[in-house]
Amino acid sequence: IQSTIIITNNAEECIRASFDVAIETCWLIVYLTNHREAMMFGIENWLSQDILVGLGSRLCSGVDAAIIQFKQIDDDGDDDDNLDGDQSTSFLTSNRRLVDNVTNSSIPCCRALTNIAIYLDSIPPNGEAISQAKQSVTSALLSEMTARCLAELISLGSIGVGTTASTIACSAASLASICLTDASRDYENYTGAAVWSLLPALVRGLIGPMCTYEFRREVVWSIWNTLQHNRIQHRLLMEIIGTSATEVAEALTGNLTSLISSDEVEPSLGIVDLLLRTVDDNHMRSTIGKSLKIVFEEVGLVDALWYVCDNDVDESDVAEKAAELIDDFYEEQEEEDEDDRMM
């Protein structure tokens, strides 16, 4: 703040300082929201609507900078995807050395909002301050602007532009899961809301061929967290598989053999289990001409399930679930293969 006051006679330097102060403030909020005691104090004292608006504003600036850095808009700042339309975008475009810092500011914004939402979800709505905080946070998370920003940031994880973009996309994916879960709880009031665009964004991240290991792991966890104990779980599953049944099946099957630990395999296996046990075979036959069981079999699910069973050194529930899927859906095929080998 002191540096901002000192250089107010230089407009460009003042703007640059304001960006730096805002970014450091976002990281300070992340630090505070990581501590339960600070959050309890914050609800009564510093978690205001202005803070939420400020985080949203910084998130938009981070998206604008990310478009400049990773999607290479023209130097004149002309870009149809500009989300906020203010002067910050043109300033950033002419000051490329600031772009990296402002792009990275989307990380603390996402993490701060994630921390706040998780904390508020963990406590009962006792008292006016808590109830008001929950309403304000829900309103911020389910706004059209937040949805558009997060969808744009998630897309960075699928275009193969490096670890920085992947880290940003991971933070956005984690927050997107919280947004979708909140909207699901009050689905009737958010039926046509922009927040639902986040699920296709996550699915595109799941099936994207150029995503990093870390982003693929974060995306599948985000989808899995959204689906668990969700009152509109079946609707969400149908939307996931409706994107492209074969591509989704390939991505989930591939995760079973490419992710390393059982903790990483768990969400992919869980989604496979939900899809096979929930999605109606008649519906799939009428839309793509085959059951989902066949779709998964064609992309190598049976071999992947056996791989999980044979390589689960942690002795976790993951191998047991993989074996159950083989028994429940592919036992007949396994018996036919055994007969063929004997002949």
Side-chain angles (χ1 to χ4, degrees):
I1 295 174
Q2 182 179 0
S3 65
T4 306
I5 297 174
I6 291 173
I7 59 177
T8 50
N9 61 323
N10 185 310
E12 183 173 312
E13 290 298 321
C14 183
I15 295 174
R16 182 176 294 109
S18 70
F19 274 118
D20 292 340
V21 171
I23 293 167
E24 290 304 314
T25 302
C26 289
W27 280 113
L28 174 60
I29 295 172
V30 173
Y31 174 79
L32 293 173
T33 55
N34 267 326
H35 295 79
R36 194 170 184 85
E37 295 79 6
M39 276 301 307
M40 293 173 64
F41 178 79
I43 289 175
E44 297 286 348
N45 295 276
W46 58 263
L47 183 57
S48 64
Q49 186 66 33
D50 289 340
I51 292 290
L52 296 173
V53 170
L55 288 171
S57 176
R58 291 305 99 201
L59 188 62
C60 287
S61 295
V63 172
D64 290 334
I67 292 172
I68 295 168
Q69 181 173 357
F70 299 117
K71 297 190 175 181
Q72 300 178 346
I73 68 171
D74 296 333
D75 288 339
D76 61 3
D78 182 17
D79 179 62
D80 293 338
D81 292 328
N82 185 323
L83 295 178
D84 56 11
D86 62 20
Q87 295 180 351
S88 64
T89 302
S90 59
F91 175 78
L92 283 171
T93 308
S94 61
N95 293 269
R96 297 255 173 178
R97 56 198 175 99
L98 272 182
V99 168
D100 185 56
N101 284 340
V102 179
T103 298
N104 290 337
S105 71
S106 57
I107 298 175
C109 290
C110 288
R111 291 182 182 175
L113 289 169
T114 297
N115 291 346
I116 293 169
I118 290 174
Y119 173 76
L120 289 174
D121 192 50
S122 70
I123 59 176
N126 297 331
E128 183 178 350
I130 295 177
S131 296
Q132 182 59 47
K134 286 194 173 189
Q135 291 175 10
S136 298
V137 171
T138 298
S139 178
L141 292 181
L142 302 186
S143 69
E144 180 180 356
M145 186 60 69
T146 299
R148 294 175 62 195
C149 286
L150 293 180
E152 187 70 51
L153 293 176
I154 291 169
S155 72
L156 297 179
S158 304
I159 58 178
V161 289
T163 56
T164 298
S166 177
T167 301
I168 294 170
C170 286
S171 297
S174 180
L175 181 57
S177 175
I178 292 175
C179 295
L180 289 166
T181 301
D182 280 356
S184 299
R185 291 171 180 162
D186 196 13
Y187 176 72
E188 289 74 16
N189 289 327
Y190 291 101
T191 303
V195 65
W196 301 112
S197 66
L198 295 177
L199 186 58
L202 289 173
V203 174
R204 286 192 293 271
L206 173 67
I207 65 179
M210 293 187 291
C211 60
T212 64
Y213 179 94
E214 291 75 14
F215 179 63
R216 186 168 69 252
R217 180 182 58 196
E218 186 64 46
V219 162
V220 75
W221 265 114
S222 296
I223 296 173
W224 177 233
N225 288 335
T226 301
L227 290 172
Q228 292 189 83
H229 313 298
N230 195 304
R231 61 189 290 258
I232 59 168
Q233 183 186 88
H234 184 267
R235 184 185 297 271
L236 298 179
L237 285 169
M238 295 305 297
E239 183 167 350
I240 290 170
I241 206 67
T243 304
S244 173
T246 299
E247 287 183 299
V248 170
E250 285 178 343
L252 292 171
T253 300
N255 284 350
L256 298 183
T257 56
S258 62
L259 297 179
I260 299 172
S261 68
S262 58
D263 288 341
E264 294 174 343
V265 171
E266 177 187 348
S268 294
L269 191 62
I271 297 171
V272 171
D273 184 77
L274 279 178
L275 287 170
L276 287 174
R277 299 186 189 279
T278 304
V279 175
D280 182 64
D281 281 346
N282 291 329
H283 171 78
M284 295 305 299
R285 291 191 184 97
S286 66
T287 54
I288 63 173
K290 62 184 74 172
S291 69
L292 198 55
K293 169 187 170 181
I294 298 300
V295 173
F296 272 109
E297 184 178 351
E298 290 177 347
V299 299
L301 177 64
V302 178
D303 289 339
L305 292 174
W306 277 114
Y307 178 89
V308 172
C309 293
D310 295 338
N311 292 274
D312 183 42
V313 295
D314 300 329
E315 298 183 356
S316 66
D317 294 336
V318 170
E320 183 177 346
K321 179 175 284 189
E324 288 176 357
L325 286 172
I326 294 172
D327 291 341
D328 293 347
F329 294 96
Y330 299 104
E331 184 177 16
E332 182 179 338
Q333 179 63 43
E334 288 298 299
E335 290 176 353
E336 290 178 359
D337 291 343
E338 183 64 27
D339 290 342
D340 290 341
R341 285 192 291 269
M342 292 178 64
M343 293 177 62

